[in-house]
Amino acid sequence: MCGIVGYIGKKQALPILLNGLKRLEYRGYDSAGVAVLNEGLFQTTRSVGKIDNLVAKMQDEKIGGASGINGTMGIAHTRWATHGGVTEENAHPHKDCTGNLMIVHNGIIENYRELKEDLGKKHEFKSQTDTEVLAHLIESLYKGDLRLAVEAALAKVRGTYGLVAMHASEPTKIVAARLGSPLVVGVGDKEYYVASDTSPMLAHTQQVIFLDDGEIAEISEHGVQIYNLADERLNKPSEKIDWDETTAERQGHDHFMLKEILDQPTVIKDALRGRLVESDGTARLGGLNMTEEEMHKIKRVILIACGTASYAALVGKYAFERLAGLPTTVEIASEFRYSDPVIDNHTLVFGISQSGETADTLAALREAKRKGAFVRGIVNVVGSTIARETDGGTYIHAGPELAVASTKAFMNMIGVLLMYALQFGRVNRLAVATGQRLVKAMLQISGKMKQTLELSDQIKILAKKYSGYKNYFFLGRGVNYPVALEGSLKLKECSYIHSEAYPGGEMKHGPIALLSPDFPVMAIMTKNQLYDKMRSNVEEIKARQAPLIIIATEGDDKAKELSEDVIYVPATMELLEPLINTIPLQLFAYHTAVMLGRDVDRPRNLAKSVTVE
Ligand code: M6R
């Protein structure tokens, strides 16, 4: 989704803004723009496509090149189109009629048509965007104080915004406001940053202030002052975050996605560290914020998420039901928020999200909270909105995930869900010996993940062999059904190849009609309680001459009778299998996408952090 960067300080703003935009590229965008205040005038460049196009355009126009920009205050933006096509006119920053006001905006102004009508013919609109309407609205309310004009404008707005504005008459001030779209202010030494997340500022400062909904920051040489929409001054000190720039680097790998896949054995340890108690066969996640008495009262669990996080939640469902005997449902956030869920104060709701900013998940959690559930977050990004709005929860400690396709966050979400299920299990009914077995297996999982990653070369050869196919099925049963869903999503989003996932037993109820020698199937057939059932499904596929790639457990020689393409993975306890079996599927999607020349880290049309509905 759109990315925002702003800077005010002593240094040249332009390089900071452009580097900041680069850091936000992972979010997904289709155009970009920048405006710097230079001797009382804004110099603006906007362009369609990548940031490199923007830089090339500046060089053509001699902006930041031979003529140079000496401004120390500016804003920049990457746009992911919502209102209006992907054109230069629709790219941000947008200005008012006078050209003295510049804004960048992330979110959706729902009543922009009414506002535009109210503004009337006095204003000339150059784009189709809701953002430009906001610029003119602020212009109409400006009486010499930008913050007050922004506040007055926002009082008329319905919708969501992360907004940053500058006015040429106030050359040492930036105003930022947030409702529904994240904004963070970075506090340096007499210099300040504002951005959609912390990544553009990590090279400069780790002191940050996370704006909450309904807050406006006035950033100037006097520091950062935060107000609410009623214009009351708030006391909000900065805090230190522990991510630094090097954790957000590619570190020699061709793509972030590959780096993040290879990071998995390390980051899973970060998720488990200090949270498993071997002697008691349990886990202790302090963030749960519940007494044992409260835990006993929980009668059901709802896991709310979108996309990959929802597949991690499906694994969590098996774990909660098997270990803790708690009825558990997985709800897709965008559906849940508009449904009539039956929730009471015996319901525990977990919102699961890498970014912690997904608009649908956030709205669904607010709904659950309103209805009286215990609401907890399982989140990666520290200080993100879901992390702050839930009444507790756990960071998954996957570190910055910059490839749009989620990989390591999926694994760590599963790790944390397993620990929660274990903790509830041991409070409810699970025998210590069973808990201890699981803890032991979890402590060994990092080594097995590492071993599985060694299959990368074999999988690359398979990806080459199969890269000409246009359709795929991914099949799994039990805990491996979510793995199939995740493998299919990864292939789809990274390589643009059509693929669908089904539970193995569901094939014969319809999808089998599609099978032919042109329709390969990736079947997860590891040794667990459903092995024989899955094997029968695979036999049915073989009988239809569909090419088969089988994920099998090391030592299962019989798998070779079904296909010449078998990927052998190490054995582990059934509930932990997703942590192993997903790896070959991630690598298959990655190598296929690279082979097809796709933009692996930034697949078309996708955004990393989906902050609009
Ligand atoms: O940040 P979140 O985990 O809430 O994001 C949820 C989905 O948007 C995300 O998992 C999406 O499906 C990714 N493209 C998966 O690779």
Side-chain angles (χ1 to χ4, degrees):
M1 298 271 121
C2 307
I4 288 177
V5 192
Y7 174 78
I8 178 166
K10 306 163 283 193
K11 300 192 189 109
Q12 291 301 316
L14 190 65
I16 292 172
L17 296 173
L18 291 175
N19 285 332
L21 284 190
K22 281 263 172 206
R23 296 276 171 201
L24 293 177
E25 272 196 303
Y26 76 93
R27 295 167 72 88
Y29 67 102
D30 41 50
S31 53
V34 62
V36 172
L37 187 66
N38 187 9
E39 294 175 359
L41 286 178
F42 283 119
Q43 275 191 280
T44 310
T45 304
R46 301 180 295 176
S47 84
V48 166
K50 300 284 174 204
I51 293 162
D52 291 343
N53 297 3
L54 181 74
V55 173
K57 192 161 178 243
M58 281 181 185
Q59 275 156 3
D60 287 349
E61 294 170 357
K62 299 220 178 329
I63 294 176
S67 62
I69 290 186
N70 293 316
T72 57
M73 171 173 99
I75 53 180
H77 189 263
T78 45
R79 174 174 187 253
W80 189 84
T82 55
H83 292 67
V86 181
T87 63
E88 203 173 300
E89 291 69 38
N90 288 336
H92 302 210
H94 286 284
K95 59 183 178 189
D96 65 353
C97 296
T98 65
N100 285 330
L101 175 82
M102 281 288 164
I103 69 169
V104 289
H105 163 234
N106 181 8
I108 292 176
I109 307 299
E110 288 166 7
N111 58 338
Y112 80 104
R113 281 196 195 82
E114 292 140 65
L115 294 170
K116 195 171 179 178
E117 258 172 45
D118 292 348
L119 285 165
K121 297 216 161 37
K122 275 186 286 171
H123 293 265
E124 194 191 339
F125 295 91
K126 301 221 161 82
S127 76
Q128 301 152 299
T129 63
D130 50 346
T131 303
E132 195 193 0
V133 176
L134 193 51
H136 290 277
L137 181 64
I138 298 171
E139 173 192 7
S140 71
L141 297 162
Y142 185 74
K143 295 189 185 88
D145 187 322
L146 181 59
R147 177 175 58 78
L148 293 179
V150 169
E151 269 175 30
L154 295 180
K156 294 176 186 284
V157 155
R158 214 174 50 239
T160 56
Y161 49 79
L163 162 80
V164 183
M166 313 183 286
H167 201 286
S169 316
E170 297 174 76
T172 56
K173 187 194 283 181
I174 282 185
V175 173
R178 170 199 165 135
L179 189 77
S181 284
L183 273 184
V184 191
V185 178
V187 182
D189 177 18
K190 296 208 177 79
E191 59 180 1
Y192 304 91
Y193 306 81
V194 57
S196 305
D197 66 39
T198 54
S199 49
M201 54 192 78
L202 288 176
H204 312 283
T205 181
Q206 287 171 282
Q207 269 323 114
V208 298
I209 302 172
F210 294 102
L211 292 189
D212 282 308
D213 278 350
E215 288 181 351
I216 301 187
E218 185 177 273
I219 307 162
S220 70
E221 71 243 271
H222 307 299
V224 185
Q225 262 122 47
I226 315 275
Y227 297 80
N228 60 20
L229 288 172
D231 199 36
E232 291 158 340
R233 179 111 173 249
L234 308 174
N235 182 18
K236 215 168 168 188
S238 65
E239 53 190 284
K240 189 166 185 286
I241 43 162
D242 59 6
W243 286 4
D244 63 24
E245 208 193 6
T246 49
T247 53
E249 293 289 348
R250 256 196 287 141
Q251 290 167 0
H253 297 291
D254 287 345
H255 300 98
F256 277 114
M257 182 175 174
L258 181 60
K259 175 195 174 261
E260 287 161 8
I261 291 172
L262 296 174
D263 270 352
Q264 293 176 132
T266 308
V267 298
I268 194 73
K269 282 201 218 156
D270 296 337
L272 306 182
R273 185 170 299 117
R275 292 168 167 174
L276 289 169
V277 189
E278 224 177 332
S279 54
D280 288 348
T282 191
R284 296 232 168 85
L285 293 155
L288 183 61
N289 279 347
M290 287 172 94
T291 60
E292 274 203 11
E293 205 179 309
E294 284 173 320
M295 287 173 78
H296 280 300
K297 286 189 186 145
I298 295 299
K299 296 289 170 252
R300 72 188 185 110
V301 175
I302 301 179
L303 306 172
I304 298 179
C306 301
T308 286
S310 75
Y311 304 149
L314 281 173
V315 178
K317 170 185 160 69
Y318 286 96
F320 269 105
E321 294 187 338
R322 194 168 296 175
L323 301 176
L326 283 168
T328 303
T329 49
V330 175
E331 303 280 352
I332 299 294
S334 54
E335 289 297 313
F336 180 88
R337 63 184 290 192
Y338 296 114
S339 63
D340 298 304
V342 181
I343 286 178
D344 57 25
N345 57 3
H346 298 294
T347 309
L348 173 60
V349 169
F350 284 102
I352 306 160
S353 174
Q354 188 287 127
S355 61
E357 302 292 352
T358 302
D360 286 320
T361 309
L362 183 58
L365 294 178
R366 285 176 180 158
E367 193 56 28
K369 206 167 171 179
R370 209 171 292 130
K371 295 201 159 117
F374 288 90
V375 177
R376 304 291 184 262
I378 296 179
V379 170
N380 192 34
V381 176
V382 178
S384 57
T385 311
I386 293 178
R388 285 177 297 124
E389 281 202 13
T390 42
D391 304 319
T394 298
Y395 285 121
I396 63 171
H397 294 318
E401 189 183 68
L402 299 184
V404 165
S406 187
T407 52
K408 59 179 181 170
F410 175 73
M411 299 299 201
N412 280 24
M413 285 168 184
I414 293 175
V416 167
L417 282 160
L418 287 170
M419 288 191 283
Y420 269 125
L422 181 59
Q423 189 170 347
F424 271 89
R426 291 288 292 124
V427 167
N428 286 355
R429 63 169 196 177
L430 197 72
V432 63
T434 318
Q436 281 168 335
R437 264 205 312 282
L438 188 70
V439 171
K440 201 165 165 212
M442 286 173 93
L443 291 171
Q444 289 168 351
I445 204 70
S446 164
K448 294 189 179 186
M449 289 168 93
K450 211 167 177 178
Q451 200 184 325
T452 312
L453 285 167
E454 286 163 14
L455 297 166
S456 187
D457 288 343
Q458 184 204 345
I459 293 168
K460 191 172 175 181
I461 294 168
L462 280 178
K464 187 160 186 216
K465 174 174 171 188
Y466 281 81
S467 61
Y469 289 99
K470 302 277 182 272
N471 299 287
Y472 276 83
F473 274 140
F474 282 69
L475 301 186
R477 297 185 76 132
V479 285
N480 286 313
Y481 170 49
V483 173
L485 286 163
E486 175 59 5
S488 170
L489 180 67
K490 286 291 90 82
L491 184 68
K492 199 172 346 208
E493 59 186 352
C494 298
S495 70
Y496 317 149
I497 291 174
H498 168 246
S499 119
E500 293 179 50
Y502 281 97
E506 192 60 14
M507 278 297 280
K508 54 186 162 299
H509 297 287
I512 202 164
L514 291 173
L515 289 186
S516 74
D518 294 330
F519 208 124
V521 176
M522 177 80 81
I524 305 149
M525 197 187 75
T526 39
K527 283 271 174 140
N528 58 35
Q529 56 176 341
L530 292 169
Y531 175 78
D532 291 335
K533 304 286 170 204
M534 188 62 201
R535 194 178 161 101
S536 305
N537 299 142
V538 175
E539 301 268 11
E540 290 156 10
I541 293 156
K542 184 176 160 62
R544 268 95 196 158
Q545 281 106 42
L548 261 165
I549 307 176
I550 300 174
I551 312 288
T553 306
E554 277 171 355
D556 179 9
D557 297 333
K558 289 198 162 153
K560 279 272 171 209
E561 295 166 5
L562 298 170
S563 171
E564 57 180 23
D565 296 326
V566 180
I567 301 169
Y568 283 108
V569 295
T572 182
M573 273 178 87
E574 185 171 335
L575 275 176
L576 303 191
E577 282 188 7
L579 296 173
I580 300 297
N581 297 352
T582 309
I583 292 175
L585 307 190
Q586 295 170 334
L587 288 168
F588 187 76
Y590 171 75
H591 288 305
T592 305
V594 173
M595 225 154 270
L596 295 175
R598 308 299 192 222
D599 189 351
V600 180
D601 284 337
R602 290 186 293 274
R604 68 183 180 203
N605 302 336
L606 292 181
K608 180 68 180 165
S609 169
V610 185
T611 52
V612 295
E613 246 197 284

